[in-house]
Amino acid sequence: MLALSRKVNESIVIGQDIEVTILEVKGDQVKIGIQAPKSVPIYRKEIYIQIKEENQKSNVSSVDINKLQDLL
Amino acid sequence: MLINTKCFGEVNIQDEKIVYFPDGILGFEELKNYTIIYDTSRGEKSKIAWLQSTDEPGLALPVISPIDVMEGYDPIVDDELLNVLGDVTPENVVILLVVTVPTDVTKTTANQKAPIIINSDTRLGAQIIVENKDYVIKYPIVGQKKGESSC
């Protein structure tokens, strides 16, 4: 992994159209601003992973939809 | 066109019933085309529908309208994310929650945090992570009926 040191208000440019700026540092929390084309989805990683896993679980949950329908 | 589905075998789908997801859905980013299948075999309109991939028969997620499982679902979505779908209005928007059915069906949940949002005019869709802090990935949807969960 490439590691770069940055100060508040300094940026990193990735490729031609993505810019990541450090906006604020407070204790162990860092606020980051990201400028990217709309076509690039940006997610908080832990949420991204949880949702991905939930979709995969959903896809195998064909079990007994009729039984479920009766409960709803 | 004829498509193969996970639960209903071969189904004939009109081309205009196919929704394009430019980013796919999370975990299945490479699959972009979907249709929504309602199971009409139960007579009354069933609450659970299927978001069926038209590219991959094995991918079909059960989905439900938030109206059927909770009151006042009001997702907060960044405008930029919605713009990808074209001009989304209350008239053309379709919102569905992905349902996960575990072995114990009474523990079924719906994903409030990442609804499927479709613009029915442009037929573009996306799974969007909403800003609402109190919305969860596993929202229990069974249990309103108490004491009669016979299996």
Side-chain angles (χ1 to χ4, degrees):
Chain A
M1 187 192 284
L2 171 69
L4 302 171
S5 294
R6 301 276 65 197
K7 290 179 177 154
V8 170
N9 290 327
E10 290 185 340
S11 300
I12 291 168
V13 175
I14 303 171
Q16 297 198 328
D17 40 21
I18 299 176
E19 188 173 330
V20 179
T21 307
I22 308 303
L23 298 176
E24 188 186 291
V25 180
K26 226 197 258 170
D28 63 353
Q29 215 174 30
V30 181
K31 195 182 254 183
I32 295 171
I34 303 158
Q35 232 164 20
K38 280 182 207 162
S39 57
V40 180
I42 298 163
Y43 307 109
R44 290 181 179 85
K45 186 174 177 184
E46 66 281 8
I47 295 179
Y48 169 76
I49 289 172
Q50 282 170 26
I51 291 171
K52 204 165 141 168
E53 286 174 355
E54 197 62 23
N55 282 344
Q56 280 155 353
K57 275 186 224 159
S58 169
N59 190 38
V60 294
S61 68
S62 60
V63 267
D64 202 340
I65 291 294
N66 273 326
K67 207 191 259 179
L68 172 64
Q69 300 268 26
D70 293 336
L71 291 170
L72 294 174
Chain B
M1 67 185 260
L2 276 178
I3 61 157
N4 281 310
T5 67
K6 189 164 91 172
C7 307
F8 305 101
E10 216 171 53
V11 173
N12 196 5
I13 301 286
Q14 292 163 289
D15 287 354
E16 60 266 28
K17 296 284 183 202
I18 293 173
V19 181
Y20 181 70
F21 284 61
D23 297 321
I25 60 174
L26 300 184
F28 304 97
E29 283 83 352
E30 68 288 1
L31 300 171
K32 314 280 194 191
N33 295 296
Y34 293 83
T35 191
I36 297 167
I37 296 179
Y38 290 90
D39 178 7
T40 50
S41 67
R42 284 173 62 87
E44 85 265 44
K45 195 169 178 260
S46 66
K47 288 182 178 174
I48 299 280
W50 297 89
L51 185 69
Q52 169 72 54
S53 162
T54 59
D55 305 318
E56 165 53 55
L59 175 59
L61 306 184
V63 290
I64 195 163
S65 168
I67 299 161
D68 286 327
V69 291
M70 63 181 291
E71 276 175 31
Y73 184 69
D74 187 16
I76 302 166
V77 180
D78 191 327
D79 280 347
E80 284 216 2
L81 293 176
L82 273 190
N83 289 343
V84 177
L85 307 181
D87 192 15
V88 176
T89 67
E91 286 72 39
N92 67 24
V93 72
V94 176
I95 300 179
L96 296 165
L97 306 182
V98 178
V99 171
T100 303
V101 190
T103 319
D104 177 358
V105 287
T106 63
K107 301 215 160 53
T108 296
T109 56
N111 187 344
Q112 293 175 303
K113 189 75 183 166
I116 302 292
I117 300 185
I118 294 168
N119 177 336
S120 59
D121 287 339
T122 57
R123 297 199 300 276
L124 292 171
Q127 184 174 30
I128 292 179
I129 300 177
V130 300
E131 302 291 323
N132 309 58
K133 291 222 161 49
D134 54 334
Y135 283 2
V136 294
I137 294 174
K138 286 178 175 291
Y139 178 79
I141 62 170
V142 182
Q144 284 83 345
K145 283 190 202 169
K146 281 180 188 141
E148 50 175 322
S149 57
S150 54
C151 293

